[in-house]
Amino acid sequence: MSSATSPAAAPQAPDRATGRERRYDIDLLRVLCTAAVVLVHASAEFIDAGHRTTGILGDTAGRFAVPAFFAMAGWAALSGAPVRDEARLLARLGRILRPMALWTALYLLASYAFGGNRGQAGEEAVRALFGSVEAAFHLWYLYAYVPLLLLLGVVVLVVRGRALPRRSAVLLAALAVAPALLGDVTTLTGWSPPDWAWSVPLSSVVYAVAGAALLAAPRRGPRALWAAAAAVTLVVLAVYQLTVRHPAAYGSAAVAAVTFAVLGTVAGVRVPERARPLLARLSDASFGTYLVHLVFVTLLAGPVAGHLPAGPWAPVALAVTTVAAAALSFAVSLLWGRLGWRAWLG
C-alpha cells in the first residue's frame, strides 16, 4: 500500500494502479499519529486511576493525532490520490466500513462476554448503527471520517468530471438529512433513536483542506522553526489542559496550533533508505493497529495505572505501557496482514 494512494487517516488498502511515488514522510506521520492515539487512550486510563497530571501531559503529547489524521485524509483525497471515478470512491468507503463493522461486532461481543452488560447488548448493537458505542468508543473517529471522505470524493469527481456521481451524492444527502429525519421520527412516534454520529464537524473539514495544502506545498519554510513552534504550542496546550479544560476540543485554537506545527515539522522529512521498508510495513498496518489497540491498552495500561501508588513513577509507567500496547498492536496487525486478512481486520 502506497502513501501516495492511501486515504491516509484510516490507513487502508489503496488504489494500486495510480503509479504515484510513495511519500515516506506521510508514512512516518501516519505511524507517529497511530502511536499518539495509543498514548492518548493509555493516558485516559491513568487519569481514571487518579494520576491526573501524568495523564493530562500524556494526552497533550498525543492530542494532535486525530486532527493530523483528518489533514492526511484531505491530502490523499484532494492531492495525493484523488479518486478517478465513483467506483473507486465507493471501494474506498468499503475498505473502511468492512473492518469498522467487524471490529464493532467484536468489541460488542467482548463487552457482552466480559463486561457484565448483557441486558444492554441489543441496545448497544442498535446504537452502533447510529454512532459510536462505549465498547468501541475509539471508533467514533470513523463515524466522522467516512462522511468526510465521501464529501471530498464527491467534490473531486464533480470538479474534475463535471458530472454528479449519483450513488455517492444520494448517500451523502442521506447522511446530511438523517439528523433532522430522526428528529421528525421522534416527534411523530415518540421513539427516541440514538444520537446520530455519521457527520463531520466543520473543524475537521478545515483540518482536511488546510492540511492538504500544507502537506502538498513544495516549500514550507525552515523545519527548525516548525519544530520550535511544535514545542512551544505543546507547552501552551499542556497549560490549557491542566488549568482550563480537559480534554481540549479538537477544534480549539491550542490543538490546531500544535497540529499544524507537527505537520510542518514532519512533512517533507527525508526518511533514510534503510528505514523505508519497515516504515512502509508499519504504515500499512496502522489502520489495523488503530482498530485493535484498545484491547492492549485495557489489558496493560488500565491494571498498571490502577495498582500504581501516587508518586514519580506514573510517567515512567505510562511510557512503558504505551510502548508495550503500541508494539503489540502493530505486531498483531502486521501478522494478520501477512495472513491476508487485512481487508476485514484493517
Side-chain angles (χ1 to χ4, degrees), residues 3-207:
S3 290
T5 56
S6 171
Q12 67 221 34
D15 303 325
R16 296 180 182 274
T18 60
R20 294 175 181 267
E21 181 181 355
R22 184 159 193 146
R23 280 192 59 175
Y24 291 97
D25 59 329
I26 301 296
D27 282 330
L28 178 61
L29 185 59
R30 184 179 296 116
V31 172
L32 176 64
C33 289
T34 303
V37 168
V38 180
L39 173 60
V40 167
H41 291 147
S43 298
E45 298 285 349
F46 276 73
I47 293 172
D48 291 343
H51 306 285
R52 181 177 182 271
T53 300
T54 293
I56 289 180
L57 291 177
D59 179 271
T60 298
R63 187 135 288 263
F64 69 90
V66 167
F69 274 140
F70 284 122
M72 286 186 283
W75 168 81
L78 300 175
S79 176
V83 291
R84 297 181 179 180
D85 53 50
E86 187 177 29
R88 286 183 172 86
L89 174 57
L90 295 176
R92 284 189 178 184
L93 295 178
R95 288 194 293 269
I96 302 169
L97 292 172
R98 281 193 303 271
M100 179 184 180
L102 179 60
W103 278 101
T104 298
L106 291 175
Y107 279 110
L108 287 173
L109 287 173
S111 178
Y112 177 80
F114 307 110
N117 63 339
R118 297 188 175 186
Q120 301 177 352
E123 179 183 345
E124 286 287 283
V126 172
R127 285 182 58 201
L129 299 175
F130 291 80
S132 183
V133 293
E134 181 61 28
F137 68 87
H138 65 306
L139 300 186
W140 72 265
Y141 162 74
L142 296 179
Y143 289 88
Y145 178 79
V146 169
L148 176 65
L149 183 65
L150 181 62
L151 173 63
L152 296 178
V154 168
V155 169
V156 167
L157 291 176
V158 169
V159 171
R160 293 193 171 191
R162 304 293 193 273
L164 182 66
R166 295 179 181 178
R167 289 174 295 170
S168 299
V170 169
L171 180 58
L172 187 62
L175 294 176
V177 304
L181 179 61
L182 291 175
D184 293 340
V185 168
T186 300
T187 300
L188 293 173
T189 67
W191 174 61
S192 296
D195 293 336
W196 183 257
W198 292 95
S199 60
V200 53
L202 178 59
S203 61
S204 298
V205 178
V206 173
Y207 278 126

Side-chain angles (χ1 to χ4, degrees), residues 220-232 261 264-265:
R220 304 176 188 88
R223 194 177 311 279
L225 290 181
W226 286 108
V232 171
T265 301

Side-chain angles (χ1 to χ4, degrees), residues 213-274:
L214 178 58
L215 292 173
R219 297 179 182 176
R220 304 176 188 88
R223 194 177 311 279
L225 290 181
W226 286 108
V232 171
T233 53
L234 277 170
V235 172
V236 172
L237 178 58
V239 172
Y240 175 83
Q241 291 211 111
L242 286 168
T243 61
V244 180
R245 178 191 293 180
H246 175 266
Y250 286 120
S252 68
V255 174
V258 172
T259 299
F260 286 108
V262 170
L263 290 175
T265 301
V266 179
V269 69
R270 187 184 182 279
V271 176
E273 292 278 352
R274 63 181 179 276

